[in-house]
Amino acid sequence: MEIMQIVGLGLVVTVLIVIIKQQRPELAIQLSVVTGVIIFSMMLGKINSVVTLMKDLAQRSNVSVLYMGTIMKIIGVAYIAEFGAQICRDAGEGAVASKIEFAAKVIVIVLAIPVIVAVFDSLLKLIP
Amino acid sequence: MDTDLIFQLAGISIVITVIYTVLKQAGRDEFAFSTLLLGIVVVLAMVIPKIAGLFETVRSVFQIY
């Protein structure tokens, strides 16, 4: 089961990071970044299958590809922004982390605009 | 699942820390600081392709842009 590998790896790397963090915090951050990347790449196969499954379901229930694509984009943007913001916060830079999250919110809103417009149009049609 | 990169990085950073403290004790601070910078650059050179790879995979999985 991958979860045991992941938890084992996480614990070992946390111990290493704590050792290195006393003397050289800048190296410890890079170690945690690499761990995040490796754990994500381990989960990639599962994420891929979930994404393709959602696409098939969307096709079958003829939800327009625009909405599904927007949802996928927003999930991707949110994940990368969370990844960066969390690492900045670990390093003690809360200000930088909140800037990253602010930018991510703006990007998500911009991505969601087509969907909002579509919903608004359909609402206007309902009102006589 | 290339966890060996993690342990390489940990090894390198421990070696850098030891070298830095040894050189500092020896009284040659500028030399110590330059080896520290060199070590950080080496570690960065190993980490940045990984991050780029992560962003590329996320881009391909979620079809961003």
Side-chain angles (χ1 to χ4, degrees), chain A residues 5 9 12-13 16 20 23-24 26-27 30-31 33-35 37-38 40 42 44 47-48 51 55 72-73 75-77 80 83, chain B residues 1-3 5-7 9-10 13-14 16-17 20-21 36 39-40 43-44 47 50-51 54-55 57-58 61-65:
Chain A
Q5 287 169 354
L9 179 70
V12 166
V13 175
L16 286 174
I20 297 169
Q23 272 87 21
R24 300 265 67 83
E26 60 275 10
L27 294 174
Q30 282 157 31
L31 210 53
V33 164
V34 167
T35 316
V37 167
I38 284 177
F40 178 78
M42 268 197 257
L44 204 53
I47 294 174
N48 244 335
V51 165
K55 272 213 187 59
M72 285 301 137
K73 285 199 181 79
I75 292 175
V77 166
I80 291 187
F83 182 83
Chain B
M1 197 180 71
D2 46 4
T3 54
L5 176 69
I6 292 180
F7 299 117
L9 281 183
S13 33
I14 288 174
I16 291 167
T17 319
Y20 183 79
T21 38
L36 174 68
I40 288 174
V43 169
L44 262 178
V47 165
K50 280 285 167 187
I51 300 175
L54 172 79
F55 288 160
T57 39
V58 168
V61 166
F62 294 106
Q63 282 102 27
I64 300 172
Y65 312 126

Side-chain angles (χ1 to χ4, degrees), chain A residues 45-104:
Chain A
K46 293 184 168 44
I47 294 174
N48 244 335
S49 50
V50 166
V51 165
T52 41
L53 171 73
M54 282 171 70
K55 272 213 187 59
D56 298 345
L57 292 183
Q59 240 99 37
R60 210 173 304 165
S61 61
N62 54 50
V63 171
S64 95
V65 182
L66 165 74
Y67 300 145
M68 192 47 74
T70 311
I71 292 174
M72 285 301 137
K73 285 199 181 79
I74 288 177
I75 292 175
V77 166
Y79 171 71
I80 291 187
E82 177 58 29
F83 182 83
Q86 199 55 42
I87 287 181
C88 291
R89 199 163 285 124
D90 276 0
E93 296 301 325
V96 175
S98 57
K99 296 295 176 297
I100 290 175
E101 278 164 4
F102 166 72

